[in-house]
Amino acid sequence: MVDAVVKIDEELLKKIEEFLKKNKFAYSSKKQVVNLAVIEFLKSNSLNKGKKGGK
């Protein structure tokens, strides 16, 4: 697995933090929320066709 650092817009980061406050029992971290958002974005735009999972 490869981790990368991505700078997130300050306004978006505030929204993520507010979301986590409201959903603190469902999500454990900012990274988890961002990863799920990226996955959903890729699914909705069919950018990950033919690739399923990994290790």
Side-chain angles (χ1 to χ4, degrees):
M1 179 163 74
V2 177
D3 281 346
V5 176
V6 177
K7 187 169 181 174
I8 298 175
D9 181 65
E10 186 176 338
E11 189 69 27
L12 181 57
L13 187 57
K14 287 179 185 178
K15 289 180 182 180
I16 293 170
E17 289 170 348
E18 283 299 314
F19 179 81
L20 280 171
K21 285 180 188 176
K22 293 177 185 175
N23 299 284
K24 61 183 172 185
F25 296 109
Y27 302 97
S28 61
S29 69
K30 291 178 210 172
K31 181 180 179 192
Q32 180 187 21
V33 172
V34 171
N35 284 345
L36 291 171
V38 169
I39 289 168
E40 288 304 312
F41 173 81
L42 293 174
K43 283 181 183 178
S44 70
N45 289 292
S46 301
L47 295 175
N48 63 346
K49 273 189 180 172
K51 278 199 159 189
K52 282 194 172 183
K55 283 189 173 181

